[in-house]
Amino acid sequence: MAAIAAAPQGARRALWARGGTWVARAWRRLGWRQVALAALISVLAAVFGPQGGAYFFPGTRQSDPIVSFLVGRWVWSVLPLVFAAMVADEAYEDGVAPLMAYGAALLVGSFAAGFLDTVGGHLLGWSRPGFWAPNGFRIKQLLLQGSLCMAVYAYWRTTQHALRRVQAAESDRIRDRQQLLAARLLALQARVEPQFLFDALSRIGDMHERDSATADALLADLIALLRAMLPVGTAATSTVEREFALARAWSRVQQQLGAPFEIEISASPLALRSDLGPMLVLPLLQEMLAAPRAREFAWRLSAEPFASDDASPRTPRLCVRLAPAESMPAGQPSDEATPAPSIERLRERLAQLYGDAASLSVMPLRDGVSAFVLDLPLAQETPVDDHRADR
């Protein structure tokens, strides 16, 4: 019997603890917006009152709505109902049914406002001395008028909650699809082109008898390239550091295979830790070398963070740039209606990985070469305080 009696007592304690948590969260959210809302509700109730409003019903000192507002009667008669609605928001977010949460808020807020109205009447000298019963008329008025306002607010709040859940589910679906695509690209990146591997091994075999040191260096570069192409652990995407290491190893192997070109690869420490979709940097290098005179110039591949000016507040972004090391004048603009198929594939891949948050710009330069700029979001985590969003 003791265990049976203890179970409801434990449940009641847990309920009181949850209620205290809801009140504490609502108190932290309480700010000037909620106070201004209570004042606005009092003004609207006075102007559009059932007896003609403040302009047509001046009344006596005890019932004059203008005097009541100026002395701050709305603070203890309307603000409790607003605060009760905020507590109901916390209860609803915690899983309580909206009808129970906002219905209880209406009852508790109305009775609390009626009792506080009596206390305020004694402080202002409006109530009879020794009479401390709650203001029954005020309670009925708040129940009747507040029920409509609470119903409209509860409907809006539940609709917003459902909309946020739908948006969160859609965001999760898009993120899962992007992670799946990144994993597939990582697996695709790990595949070695047979012709490329055959040429490299044949080159190593031919050079080994003539120049064993150069052959060993090419073999070491090929091994480094194959290692860089392998996915790291269970990573769902790649990083700037990994993609730049892969580009560096690929460039060294290309130079050893008889296709020399000069390139400098660098990135800031912050950019190295940023996420970067796979199969984006290496195709840019291949597209750069496709230009007939590209090997005549020294190139630079860089990654730097920057702050975007398009959004407020300014959001951190990542700029991956592949361009000649020395500044070159711009050439004739290419026909943007018919970009190269490889550039189109890269832009489609960007859209699948980042949506509208990333872009690829191609800037034509002289001598038939181009500069490439990837504008991407800089990966970072920012904590969000949901309970102070209303301040």
Side-chain angles (χ1 to χ4, degrees):
M1 295 296 294
I4 297 177
Q9 185 177 4
R12 286 196 297 270
R13 288 179 179 176
L15 183 60
W16 279 107
R18 292 177 65 189
T21 303
W22 300 335
V23 173
R25 290 177 180 175
W27 180 258
R28 288 197 298 267
R29 286 176 50 210
L30 184 63
W32 66 269
R33 290 185 178 89
Q34 287 74 27
V35 176
L37 177 62
L40 178 61
I41 293 175
S42 300
V43 170
L44 294 177
V47 173
F48 302 101
Q51 297 179 348
Y55 296 108
F56 303 101
F57 181 63
T60 62
R61 181 174 63 88
Q62 289 82 0
S63 61
D64 192 338
I66 298 180
V67 174
S68 298
F69 179 81
L70 293 178
V71 299
R73 188 177 184 181
W74 57 274
V75 174
W76 60 73
S77 60
V78 179
L79 191 58
L81 200 60
V82 174
F83 184 74
M86 297 174 63
V87 176
D89 292 340
E90 300 296 336
Y92 175 56
E93 294 291 339
D94 205 17
V96 179
L99 180 61
M100 181 179 297
Y102 293 100
L106 176 63
L107 293 176
V108 174
S110 299
F111 279 93
F115 176 75
L116 293 176
D117 191 66
T118 301
V119 175
H122 279 284
L123 294 177
L124 295 175
W126 291 353
S127 300
R128 298 195 306 270
F131 184 78
W132 289 91
N135 190 333
F137 175 78
R138 193 63 174 169
I139 293 175
K140 294 177 183 178
Q141 184 183 27
L142 289 173
L143 285 174
L144 290 176
Q145 297 180 354
S147 59
L148 177 60
C149 297
M150 189 68 75
V152 172
Y153 176 75
Y155 175 78
W156 175 80
R157 194 73 181 187
T158 52
T159 302
Q160 292 296 313
H161 181 72
L163 181 61
R164 286 198 303 270
R165 291 182 61 183
V166 171
Q167 292 174 345
E170 180 65 16
S171 299
D172 292 341
R173 186 186 67 83
I174 294 175
R175 184 171 59 253
D176 292 342
R177 186 180 63 183
Q178 292 173 347
Q179 291 178 353
L180 178 60
L181 176 62
R184 289 178 177 175
L185 289 175
L186 282 173
L188 180 62
Q189 192 177 56
R191 298 179 183 178
V192 182
E193 185 180 352
Q195 187 63 40
F196 170 77
L197 184 60
F198 178 78
D199 293 341
L201 293 176
S202 299
R203 180 80 172 178
I204 293 173
D206 296 338
M207 293 176 58
H208 196 273
E209 297 181 357
R210 301 191 307 270
D211 190 353
S212 59
T214 305
D216 291 342
L218 176 57
L219 181 60
D221 291 339
L222 181 61
I223 293 174
L225 174 61
L226 296 178
R227 286 177 177 174
M229 294 173 67
L230 293 177
V232 180
T234 58
T237 186
S238 188
T239 61
V240 172
E241 184 176 11
R242 180 183 180 276
E243 293 299 311
F244 275 29
L246 178 60
R248 193 176 292 111
W250 183 85
S251 301
R252 288 199 300 264
V253 172
Q254 288 291 331
Q255 292 169 359
Q256 293 287 345
L257 289 178
F261 65 97
E262 184 180 352
I263 185 168
E264 175 191 356
I265 301 177
S266 63
S268 66
L270 180 59
L272 285 175
R273 297 191 298 268
S274 177
D275 291 342
L276 178 62
M279 298 291 290
L280 293 177
V281 175
L282 199 56
L284 282 183
L285 288 176
Q286 296 170 347
E287 180 66 22
M288 177 265 291
L289 292 177
R293 301 186 60 184
R295 302 179 191 274
E296 300 177 8
F297 305 97
W299 292 82
R300 185 172 186 267
L301 175 63
S302 62
E304 297 291 339
F306 70 99
S308 174
D309 295 329
D310 298 337
S312 181
R314 301 175 70 184
T315 56
R317 305 283 297 176
L318 176 68
C319 176
V320 178
R321 182 181 180 87
L322 176 62
E326 298 181 359
S327 59
M328 296 177 59
Q332 294 296 327
S334 60
D335 187 3
E336 291 295 333
T338 57
S342 56
I343 296 298
E344 278 296 295
R345 286 193 296 269
L346 274 177
R347 285 173 174 163
E348 291 176 2
R349 191 172 299 160
L350 272 178
Q352 293 172 346
L353 287 171
Y354 297 100
D356 297 332
S359 63
L360 169 61
S361 302
V362 181
M363 295 171 288
L365 305 175
R366 65 177 177 86
D367 297 326
V369 298
S370 300
F372 307 91
V373 178
L374 281 172
D375 185 355
L376 309 166
L378 183 67
Q380 65 174 2
E381 294 181 359
T382 304
V384 178
D385 186 1
D386 293 334
H387 299 300
R388 292 191 177 268
D390 295 335
R391 283 193 179 273

PDB file of all heavy atoms in Angstrom, residues 328-336 362-366 368-371:
ATOM      1  N   MET A 328      46.587  38.807 -64.190  1.00  0.00           N
ATOM      2  CA  MET A 328      46.477  38.873 -65.641  1.00  0.00           C
ATOM      3  C   MET A 328      45.250  39.686 -66.001  1.00  0.00           C
ATOM      4  O   MET A 328      44.235  39.657 -65.285  1.00  0.00           O
ATOM      5  CB  MET A 328      46.355  37.460 -66.240  1.00  0.00           C
ATOM      6  CG  MET A 328      47.568  36.576 -66.019  1.00  0.00           C
ATOM      7  SD  MET A 328      47.301  34.906 -66.665  1.00  0.00           S
ATOM      8  CE  MET A 328      46.964  35.258 -68.394  1.00  0.00           C
ATOM      9  N   PRO A 329      45.305  40.416 -67.098  1.00  0.00           N
ATOM     10  CA  PRO A 329      44.116  41.167 -67.521  1.00  0.00           C
ATOM     11  C   PRO A 329      43.013  40.222 -67.966  1.00  0.00           C
ATOM     12  O   PRO A 329      43.259  39.116 -68.438  1.00  0.00           O
ATOM     13  CB  PRO A 329      44.636  42.034 -68.678  1.00  0.00           C
ATOM     14  CG  PRO A 329      45.825  41.293 -69.199  1.00  0.00           C
ATOM     15  CD  PRO A 329      46.447  40.625 -68.006  1.00  0.00           C
ATOM     16  N   ALA A 330      41.805  40.702 -67.804  1.00  0.00           N
ATOM     17  CA  ALA A 330      40.662  39.894 -68.220  1.00  0.00           C
ATOM     18  C   ALA A 330      40.595  39.816 -69.730  1.00  0.00           C
ATOM     19  O   ALA A 330      40.932  40.766 -70.443  1.00  0.00           O
ATOM     20  CB  ALA A 330      39.367  40.490 -67.664  1.00  0.00           C
ATOM     21  N   GLY A 331      40.145  38.659 -70.203  1.00  0.00           N
ATOM     22  CA  GLY A 331      39.982  38.471 -71.633  1.00  0.00           C
ATOM     23  C   GLY A 331      38.559  38.730 -72.059  1.00  0.00           C
ATOM     24  O   GLY A 331      37.743  39.294 -71.322  1.00  0.00           O
ATOM     25  N   GLN A 332      38.233  38.314 -73.257  1.00  0.00           N
ATOM     26  CA  GLN A 332      36.884  38.462 -73.756  1.00  0.00           C
ATOM     27  C   GLN A 332      35.956  37.512 -73.009  1.00  0.00           C
ATOM     28  O   GLN A 332      36.281  36.343 -72.821  1.00  0.00           O
ATOM     29  CB  GLN A 332      36.838  38.150 -75.259  1.00  0.00           C
ATOM     30  CG  GLN A 332      37.608  39.147 -76.106  1.00  0.00           C
ATOM     31  CD  GLN A 332      37.004  40.538 -76.028  1.00  0.00           C
ATOM     32  OE1 GLN A 332      35.795  40.693 -75.895  1.00  0.00           O
ATOM     33  NE2 GLN A 332      37.859  41.556 -76.109  1.00  0.00           N
ATOM     34  N   PRO A 333      34.813  37.991 -72.542  1.00  0.00           N
ATOM     35  CA  PRO A 333      33.900  37.107 -71.820  1.00  0.00           C
ATOM     36  C   PRO A 333      33.400  35.986 -72.717  1.00  0.00           C
ATOM     37  O   PRO A 333      33.099  36.187 -73.884  1.00  0.00           O
ATOM     38  CB  PRO A 333      32.751  38.034 -71.393  1.00  0.00           C
ATOM     39  CG  PRO A 333      32.827  39.193 -72.336  1.00  0.00           C
ATOM     40  CD  PRO A 333      34.283  39.352 -72.693  1.00  0.00           C
ATOM     41  N   SER A 334      33.365  34.803 -72.124  1.00  0.00           N
ATOM     42  CA  SER A 334      32.901  33.644 -72.892  1.00  0.00           C
ATOM     43  C   SER A 334      31.387  33.638 -72.969  1.00  0.00           C
ATOM     44  O   SER A 334      30.699  34.384 -72.281  1.00  0.00           O
ATOM     45  CB  SER A 334      33.382  32.349 -72.239  1.00  0.00           C
ATOM     46  OG  SER A 334      32.881  32.267 -70.915  1.00  0.00           O
ATOM     47  N   ASP A 335      30.881  32.790 -73.816  1.00  0.00           N
ATOM     48  CA  ASP A 335      29.441  32.672 -74.005  1.00  0.00           C
ATOM     49  C   ASP A 335      28.845  31.939 -72.810  1.00  0.00           C
ATOM     50  O   ASP A 335      28.981  30.732 -72.671  1.00  0.00           O
ATOM     51  CB  ASP A 335      29.149  31.896 -75.288  1.00  0.00           C
ATOM     52  CG  ASP A 335      27.665  31.894 -75.633  1.00  0.00           C
ATOM     53  OD1 ASP A 335      26.907  32.557 -74.891  1.00  0.00           O
ATOM     54  OD2 ASP A 335      27.283  31.242 -76.616  1.00  0.00           O
ATOM     55  N   GLU A 336      28.195  32.685 -71.904  1.00  0.00           N
ATOM     56  CA  GLU A 336      27.646  32.075 -70.706  1.00  0.00           C
ATOM     57  C   GLU A 336      26.462  31.170 -71.001  1.00  0.00           C
ATOM     58  O   GLU A 336      26.062  30.379 -70.155  1.00  0.00           O
ATOM     59  CB  GLU A 336      27.214  33.171 -69.716  1.00  0.00           C
ATOM     60  CG  GLU A 336      28.364  33.936 -69.119  1.00  0.00           C
ATOM     61  CD  GLU A 336      29.248  33.070 -68.238  1.00  0.00           C
ATOM     62  OE1 GLU A 336      28.731  32.077 -67.686  1.00  0.00           O
ATOM     63  OE2 GLU A 336      30.441  33.367 -68.110  1.00  0.00           O
ATOM     64  N   VAL A 362      33.507  31.435 -63.197  1.00  0.00           N
ATOM     65  CA  VAL A 362      34.582  31.246 -64.175  1.00  0.00           C
ATOM     66  C   VAL A 362      34.865  32.604 -64.809  1.00  0.00           C
ATOM     67  O   VAL A 362      33.976  33.211 -65.415  1.00  0.00           O
ATOM     68  CB  VAL A 362      34.187  30.215 -65.242  1.00  0.00           C
ATOM     69  CG1 VAL A 362      35.325  30.026 -66.238  1.00  0.00           C
ATOM     70  CG2 VAL A 362      33.811  28.887 -64.598  1.00  0.00           C
ATOM     71  N   MET A 363      36.093  33.093 -64.641  1.00  0.00           N
ATOM     72  CA  MET A 363      36.474  34.407 -65.156  1.00  0.00           C
ATOM     73  C   MET A 363      37.499  34.237 -66.272  1.00  0.00           C
ATOM     74  O   MET A 363      38.650  33.838 -66.004  1.00  0.00           O
ATOM     75  CB  MET A 363      37.048  35.259 -64.026  1.00  0.00           C
ATOM     76  CG  MET A 363      36.021  35.581 -62.944  1.00  0.00           C
ATOM     77  SD  MET A 363      36.756  36.372 -61.488  1.00  0.00           S
ATOM     78  CE  MET A 363      37.628  34.971 -60.789  1.00  0.00           C
ATOM     79  N   PRO A 364      37.126  34.497 -67.516  1.00  0.00           N
ATOM     80  CA  PRO A 364      38.071  34.355 -68.634  1.00  0.00           C
ATOM     81  C   PRO A 364      39.206  35.371 -68.540  1.00  0.00           C
ATOM     82  O   PRO A 364      39.001  36.538 -68.221  1.00  0.00           O
ATOM     83  CB  PRO A 364      37.200  34.605 -69.869  1.00  0.00           C
ATOM     84  CG  PRO A 364      35.790  34.490 -69.398  1.00  0.00           C
ATOM     85  CD  PRO A 364      35.785  34.883 -67.968  1.00  0.00           C
ATOM     86  N   LEU A 365      40.425  34.903 -68.797  1.00  0.00           N
ATOM     87  CA  LEU A 365      41.604  35.756 -68.845  1.00  0.00           C
ATOM     88  C   LEU A 365      42.202  35.710 -70.248  1.00  0.00           C
ATOM     89  O   LEU A 365      41.661  35.058 -71.145  1.00  0.00           O
ATOM     90  CB  LEU A 365      42.626  35.302 -67.798  1.00  0.00           C
ATOM     91  CG  LEU A 365      42.117  35.221 -66.347  1.00  0.00           C
ATOM     92  CD1 LEU A 365      43.184  34.655 -65.435  1.00  0.00           C
ATOM     93  CD2 LEU A 365      41.663  36.586 -65.848  1.00  0.00           C
ATOM     94  N   ARG A 366      43.289  36.360 -70.419  1.00  0.00           N
ATOM     95  CA  ARG A 366      43.904  36.373 -71.751  1.00  0.00           C
ATOM     96  C   ARG A 366      44.570  35.028 -72.031  1.00  0.00           C
ATOM     97  O   ARG A 366      44.758  34.201 -71.146  1.00  0.00           O
ATOM     98  CB  ARG A 366      44.928  37.505 -71.852  1.00  0.00           C
ATOM     99  CG  ARG A 366      46.133  37.362 -70.943  1.00  0.00           C
ATOM    100  CD  ARG A 366      47.116  38.504 -71.184  1.00  0.00           C
ATOM    101  NE  ARG A 366      48.264  38.450 -70.282  1.00  0.00           N
ATOM    102  CZ  ARG A 366      49.352  37.740 -70.505  1.00  0.00           C
ATOM    103  NH1 ARG A 366      49.458  37.019 -71.616  1.00  0.00           N
ATOM    104  NH2 ARG A 366      50.344  37.737 -69.628  1.00  0.00           N
ATOM    105  N   GLY A 368      43.456  32.517 -73.486  1.00  0.00           N
ATOM    106  CA  GLY A 368      42.574  31.356 -73.441  1.00  0.00           C
ATOM    107  C   GLY A 368      42.481  30.654 -72.109  1.00  0.00           C
ATOM    108  O   GLY A 368      41.871  29.575 -72.030  1.00  0.00           O
ATOM    109  N   VAL A 369      43.068  31.208 -71.036  1.00  0.00           N
ATOM    110  CA  VAL A 369      42.969  30.573 -69.720  1.00  0.00           C
ATOM    111  C   VAL A 369      41.883  31.263 -68.903  1.00  0.00           C
ATOM    112  O   VAL A 369      41.428  32.372 -69.240  1.00  0.00           O
ATOM    113  CB  VAL A 369      44.322  30.620 -68.985  1.00  0.00           C
ATOM    114  CG1 VAL A 369      45.375  29.859 -69.764  1.00  0.00           C
ATOM    115  CG2 VAL A 369      44.755  32.058 -68.737  1.00  0.00           C
ATOM    116  N   SER A 370      41.493  30.631 -67.821  1.00  0.00           N
ATOM    117  CA  SER A 370      40.418  31.154 -66.978  1.00  0.00           C
ATOM    118  C   SER A 370      40.798  30.988 -65.515  1.00  0.00           C
ATOM    119  O   SER A 370      41.602  30.123 -65.144  1.00  0.00           O
ATOM    120  CB  SER A 370      39.092  30.441 -67.254  1.00  0.00           C
ATOM    121  OG  SER A 370      38.690  30.607 -68.592  1.00  0.00           O
ATOM    122  N   ALA A 371      40.199  31.820 -64.675  1.00  0.00           N
ATOM    123  CA  ALA A 371      40.317  31.706 -63.224  1.00  0.00           C
ATOM    124  C   ALA A 371      39.003  31.159 -62.681  1.00  0.00           C
ATOM    125  O   ALA A 371      37.922  31.486 -63.180  1.00  0.00           O
ATOM    126  CB  ALA A 371      40.636  33.060 -62.596  1.00  0.00           C
TER     127      ALA A 371
END
